[in-house]
Amino acid sequence: MLDISVSRQLRDFRLSLDLTVKPGEYLILTGDNGAGKSTLLNIVAGLMTPDQGYILLNGTSLFDAGKHINIPPEERRIGYIFQNAAIFPHLTVTENIAYGLKAMGMGKPLREKKVAGLIDQLQLNHLRNYKADQLSGGQKQLVALGRAIAIDPVLLLLDEPYRALDSTMYAVVKECIHDVVKSMNIPCILVTHQISDQELVNSRTCRIHEGILVEP
Amino acid sequence: MATNFRISKSLAYVVAVTSIGLVVLYLALPVIALFFHSSPEQFISSLTEPKVIDALVLSLVTSTIAMGVIVLVGTPAAYFHSRMDYPGKNIVDILIDLPLVLPPAVAGLALLLLYGRMGMIGQYLHIFGIDIGFTIIAVIMAQIFVASPFYLRQAKALFGQLDPSYEQTARSLGASPLFVFATIVLPLTFEGLLSGLVMTFARALGEFGATIMVAGNLPGVTQTMPLAIYGAMQGDFNTAITISILLVIISFGIMAAISILTKRRGLLA
């Protein structure tokens, strides 16, 4: 369960949000460019610091301005997929997926076994030695998803993962994300403009306008 | 219409050949003149002279130390400078570029007024028996001052161009800031940093004006290769030519290395 109540002064307005996301639930965030959607994801991931408020994830405080708690991003265990997928260009698909496990100090045999399983699950076997510049937009998103779930995240943040995907890859990536959220039973915040995403099972749609949540 | 096109094409060809020819001649002739004034025998016999060897060793040692200091301090400085907004950032940018436009003699005088025996800091160091002026340390400090922009500017630009989402993703995957720097930032900027470093080394190696002001021209102590050329010009012309040819060969090698690195980067991009 994710429970957020934060505020932060942005350039033109104040982001001020209260929201809750249950395990296995999608919170679909829509809104104009610059409304504060990506800022919210960055705040939850620990990449930006709110001025006030708190962030509770499964009862653990990730941020609490009053108690001076601010867990760094690397200790939050949040899977975050950026708009551009941010596939590390100097690493192969396999190395990208293994990155988080290596950073956390997992031994090589265990790491290789886990990465092989994820590559199988996401059907990336034929791409395992490819680098980012050899991948299509959809393939990059799948690699980013594999890399994010490799660390067994307790929350998934997705910033427009379907942007610029053709209809086939859109369906594939969407199904993979859906399967992951369902099987891992974790809360998920999805920033998107695709109307069909709002028909996802177990989803709730909110719109952000100038930093404030409004009903759709 | 077709005739006009042929004339303008011919004219462009003439202008291109003439202008490129002039550039090549202007830059290559002085270098060729150096090689023409010395026979291979003369060059080899001058090479073994103690003052040439001393100057070569001193130049290589001081330039390497200067390069090491610039990398150790400059890399984190350039990284944080490119990633953070802070008051006076524009002034820091100007300060970083300043040695590029400042006459080296001015830089040397300024360093002398700071670290010399009567200088702002030097007078206090002198109390503890530490003298920087006219020592090998002064040579290194002068080289650091004039050569640092070549590395800092390159590093700043490379770190600034790097998409922050790579680092942010790596952090969210559990990587500490140091791990992110070692596994993401450095590998993605390495070749560019290396080419900046090579330029820094070349600039340190060729440093003259600031060094002579703050370190003097003491053979075997502070006499680097450019200073040795200046010294040899007073009477030992062949030695001056030998050291100059040596510097040309080293500089050419450095530029060739940069060219190879840049091409490799272009292929990778």
Side-chain angles (χ1 to χ4, degrees):
Chain A
M1 169 88 90
L2 174 70
D3 188 12
I4 308 169
S5 173
V6 289
S7 72
R8 178 181 158 120
Q9 185 61 46
L10 302 180
R11 190 174 291 176
D12 301 322
F13 54 82
R14 174 166 276 277
L15 179 85
S16 194
L17 297 164
D18 295 273
L19 52 88
T20 305
V21 194
K22 293 178 203 145
E25 183 190 27
Y26 278 98
L27 177 74
I28 295 171
L29 282 181
T30 62
D32 297 334
N33 287 337
K37 305 186 295 292
S38 298
T39 304
L40 174 68
L41 297 193
N42 284 336
I43 283 174
V44 175
L47 301 170
M48 286 173 94
T49 309
D51 302 329
Q52 286 169 13
Y54 63 84
I55 302 169
L56 270 173
L57 183 57
N58 300 335
T60 307
S61 185
L62 298 183
F63 175 83
D64 194 320
K67 293 177 184 165
H68 302 286
I69 295 171
N70 190 10
I71 306 292
E74 61 268 28
E75 290 172 26
R76 293 193 180 196
R77 213 163 184 156
I78 292 174
Y80 190 176
I81 301 181
F82 285 78
Q83 267 185 37
N84 63 353
I87 302 303
F88 306 136
H90 57 303
L91 303 180
T92 62
V93 165
T94 307
E95 289 164 342
N96 262 281
I97 295 176
Y99 185 87
L101 303 174
K102 203 174 173 182
M104 293 191 306
M106 184 184 273
K108 200 175 174 188
L110 212 59
R111 196 168 72 218
E112 282 177 347
K113 197 178 163 194
K114 182 153 195 180
V115 172
L118 284 166
I119 285 176
D120 255 355
Q121 185 189 334
L122 297 165
Q123 296 176 13
L124 294 168
N125 276 299
H126 59 300
L127 304 171
R128 54 170 64 232
N129 294 320
Y130 279 36
K131 289 195 174 171
D133 58 356
Q134 296 168 291
L135 303 173
S136 71
Q139 290 166 339
K140 283 181 187 169
Q141 288 297 344
L142 287 179
V143 175
L145 180 65
R147 190 175 59 181
I149 61 174
I151 61 166
D152 293 327
V154 284
L155 166 71
L156 207 53
L157 304 175
L158 309 166
D159 195 353
E160 297 206 42
Y162 314 124
R163 202 179 183 192
L165 297 190
D166 60 41
S167 56
T168 315
M169 278 321 283
Y170 166 65
V172 171
V173 174
K174 185 176 165 181
E175 197 185 324
C176 280
I177 291 174
H178 189 63
D179 287 349
V180 162
V181 174
K182 202 172 151 192
S183 65
M184 296 182 92
N185 196 32
I186 53 174
C188 174
I189 302 180
L190 170 64
V191 168
T192 185
H193 286 112
Q194 312 274 121
I195 303 297
S196 55
D197 293 337
Q198 294 162 32
E199 294 154 7
L200 279 169
V201 180
N202 204 14
S203 72
R204 188 156 51 95
T205 304
C206 290
R207 195 164 77 83
I208 299 187
H209 178 69
E210 294 194 347
I212 308 284
L213 273 188
V214 289
E215 291 307 312
Chain B
M1 195 73 173
T3 316
N4 280 348
F5 179 71
R6 264 201 300 276
I7 290 170
S8 62
K9 206 177 164 188
S10 310
L11 189 67
Y13 183 75
V14 170
V15 172
V17 169
T18 314
S19 57
I20 293 172
L22 279 172
V23 169
V24 170
L25 278 177
Y26 191 78
L27 297 176
L29 274 180
V31 178
I32 291 167
L34 265 181
F35 283 88
F36 264 86
H37 261 87
S38 177
S39 65
E41 295 78 28
Q42 257 177 352
F43 177 71
I44 289 162
S45 83
S46 297
L47 260 186
T48 53
E49 276 184 36
K51 73 169 127 177
V52 176
I53 294 170
D54 283 352
L56 177 66
V57 170
L58 186 72
S59 279
L60 291 178
V61 168
T62 53
S63 300
T64 306
I65 294 171
M67 190 174 72
V69 172
I70 291 168
V71 170
L72 280 178
V73 181
T75 308
Y79 180 73
F80 288 115
H81 180 81
S82 68
R83 284 282 178 272
M84 287 163 62
D85 278 322
Y86 58 89
K89 189 175 176 177
N90 290 340
I91 294 171
V92 174
D93 272 322
I94 294 170
L95 272 174
I96 287 172
D97 292 346
L98 192 65
L100 287 177
V101 291
L102 205 65
V106 176
L109 184 63
L111 287 170
L112 191 65
L113 292 173
L114 186 63
Y115 300 112
R117 195 172 288 184
M118 308 297 286
M120 266 168 66
I121 293 175
Q123 60 180 313
Y124 299 108
L125 292 175
H126 182 66
I127 296 169
F128 298 103
I130 302 167
D131 286 318
I132 290 176
F134 304 98
T135 65
I136 189 171
I137 296 169
V139 176
I140 295 166
M141 287 179 115
Q143 288 173 336
I144 291 171
F145 190 87
V146 297
S148 60
F150 289 86
Y151 183 75
L152 289 172
R153 281 165 63 94
Q154 177 87 340
K156 234 174 28 156
L158 287 165
F159 294 144
Q161 285 160 10
L162 192 65
D163 186 342
S165 65
Y166 294 136
E167 291 154 79
Q168 291 171 335
T169 299
R171 291 288 303 277
S172 75
L173 290 167
S176 66
L178 201 62
F179 190 84
V180 175
F181 191 79
T183 57
I184 303 293
V185 179
L186 267 189
L188 290 177
T189 54
F190 183 72
E191 285 171 20
L193 290 176
L194 200 61
S195 101
L197 200 60
V198 173
M199 280 299 284
T200 304
F201 182 77
R203 178 65 189 92
L205 200 67
E207 167 37 38
F208 174 80
T211 312
I212 202 164
M213 295 291 283
V214 73
N217 189 5
L218 310 170
V221 184
T222 64
Q223 192 178 66
T224 56
M225 286 207 280
L227 294 171
I229 294 171
Y230 179 72
M233 287 292 284
Q234 317 297 319
D236 192 357
F237 202 56
N238 279 337
T239 305
I241 293 174
T242 299
I243 301 170
S244 301
I245 290 175
L246 212 52
L247 272 174
V248 168
I249 292 169
I250 295 171
S251 303
F252 197 85
I254 285 170
M255 294 316 292
I258 291 173
S259 169
I260 291 165
L261 284 175
T262 317
K263 269 189 194 141
R264 273 187 60 194
R265 203 171 56 200
L267 286 174
L268 287 170

